Amino acid sequence: MKDIKIIGIDLGATNIRGAVVSNEALSDIISKRIKTKGTEQEVLEDVYSLIDELIDGDVKAIGIGVPSVVDVILGIVYDVVHIPSWKEVHLKELLENRYHIPVFVNNDANCFALGEHYFGKGKGVNDMIGLTIGTGLGAGIIINNHLYAGRNCGAGEFGMVDYLEHNYEYYACGSFFQNVYGLNGEEVFKKAKNGDEQALKLYAELGTHLGNAVKMIMYTYDTELIILGGSVQLAFDFFEKTMWERINTFAFPKSIKNLEIKTSALVNSGILGAAALYYDAE
């Protein structure tokens, strides 16, 4: 990677965070609350305010990850999660007109995968999946060292695939405990850490569902590496065994023999991945 300066921005549900990324180094991270219930322009002003603090004449590009569907060619974001006013925002055009440098916009799960590919455990791996397991189940796909987002940024939405009575996201993410048993996930995690037998059984069940999800992903992409991110990765020890029990029923044993599943250790993966949108476009 060239030693150039790129602004990476991670737009979340309540906060926007950003930093200048130069090679693998980050500047001080700036974090701001956003007016989640504000108008489209009010939220844009929050974005502008953060960029204004980061930008200087040496910055070559801006990358931004958003929790939404994105037209990655035109940089239009649609129906941003938790920001009701952002139904259709021409974010790339607006930012390029204001700052006069290239702007790259993509989904936050795709940015997670790119962050891992360029800065994390996916370095040097040609084909990988970044699987985010939080309140939902999302993913970014790397094929031949490049992000594959699909025309409408919908590639990797494995959680939306039909499974049992609902879909994979219903059963294979942190919301599983609430969805199926009406239990608070954080409370289940605390109990599991204290060795509670029932909580550990629930995590074992989650592992079974996640293992089935991984099998579906493998039948589709036959990847060599899956990196788990999101809050549920912190409980990996509680569901790893049952997850692999399901994965090992895969029809093609050689594919599974070559598969690695790792948990993310990358700090600020959203910011780094947003900046990596520039590298991916080169």
Side-chain angles (χ1 to χ4, degrees):
M1 289 178 285
K2 299 174 183 177
D3 189 18
I4 57 176
K5 296 170 69 174
I6 304 161
I7 292 176
I9 298 172
D10 182 15
L11 178 64
T14 57
N15 288 278
I16 182 170
R17 302 170 67 250
V20 177
V21 179
S22 180
N23 202 350
E24 297 190 23
L26 275 76
S27 68
D28 291 339
I29 294 170
I30 298 175
S31 179
K32 292 179 177 286
R33 297 280 295 182
I34 55 174
K35 300 177 185 69
T36 304
K37 304 300 183 184
T39 65
E40 176 183 318
Q41 187 60 37
E42 285 175 330
V43 179
L44 278 169
E45 292 297 333
D46 291 334
V47 176
Y48 297 155
S49 174
L50 182 138
I51 296 174
D52 287 348
E53 291 190 41
L54 292 170
I55 199 160
D56 63 30
D58 294 328
V59 170
K60 300 300 183 186
I62 298 168
I64 181 167
V66 294
S68 72
V69 173
V70 180
D71 182 321
V72 295
I73 295 175
L74 298 178
I76 304 170
V77 300
Y78 297 96
D79 302 312
V80 178
V81 176
H82 301 303
I83 304 179
S85 65
W86 274 33
K87 297 294 184 187
E88 180 181 328
V89 181
H90 294 236
L91 193 56
K92 176 182 171 70
E93 179 182 359
L94 288 165
L95 293 178
E96 288 186 343
N97 287 343
R98 181 181 175 95
Y99 296 106
H100 309 292
I101 56 176
V103 174
F104 303 89
V105 186
N106 217 303
N107 177 271
D108 52 358
N110 288 335
C111 288
F112 166 72
L114 275 178
E116 289 292 339
H117 182 60
Y118 281 96
F119 302 101
K121 294 181 179 179
K123 271 187 178 181
V125 177
N126 291 333
D127 303 285
M128 58 159 281
I129 305 285
L131 194 61
T132 57
I133 314 170
T135 54
L137 181 68
I141 302 166
I142 306 294
I143 299 175
N144 292 331
N145 287 310
H146 283 285
L147 177 69
Y148 177 75
R151 174 61 184 87
N152 301 297
C153 202
E157 293 294 341
F158 302 119
M160 297 297 102
V161 176
D162 290 347
Y163 175 65
L164 300 180
E165 299 300 316
H166 297 278
N167 56 24
Y168 278 101
E169 183 166 272
Y170 190 88
Y171 298 96
C173 73
S175 300
F176 160 73
F177 308 104
Q178 180 66 48
N179 291 341
V180 179
Y181 293 105
L183 298 173
N184 180 280
E186 291 184 7
E187 291 300 317
V188 175
F189 179 61
K190 289 176 184 176
K191 290 180 178 179
K193 285 202 299 183
N194 290 326
D196 182 86
E197 186 175 339
Q198 185 58 36
L200 291 170
K201 284 183 179 178
L202 291 173
Y203 269 107
E205 186 177 343
L206 171 65
T208 295
H209 295 307
L210 186 57
N212 285 332
V214 170
K215 285 177 61 180
M216 177 265 295
I217 293 169
M218 288 300 292
Y219 282 123
T220 309
Y221 286 99
D222 190 21
T223 191
E224 58 188 300
L225 172 65
I226 296 175
I227 299 177
L228 306 182
S231 57
V232 175
Q233 62 148 327
L234 300 174
F236 187 60
D237 290 345
F238 301 147
F239 62 80
E240 181 183 15
K241 181 174 181 287
T242 51
M243 179 191 72
W244 275 108
E245 284 174 354
R246 289 305 303 157
I247 295 171
N248 285 328
T249 65
F250 194 73
F252 311 116
K254 184 170 177 56
S255 292
I256 299 308
K257 182 180 179 182
N258 293 331
L259 172 66
E260 289 188 281
I261 297 180
K262 300 179 180 180
T263 56
S264 174
L266 188 62
V267 180
N268 300 310
S269 59
I271 293 173
L272 289 165
L277 290 169
Y278 172 84
Y279 300 126
D280 190 63
E282 287 191 309

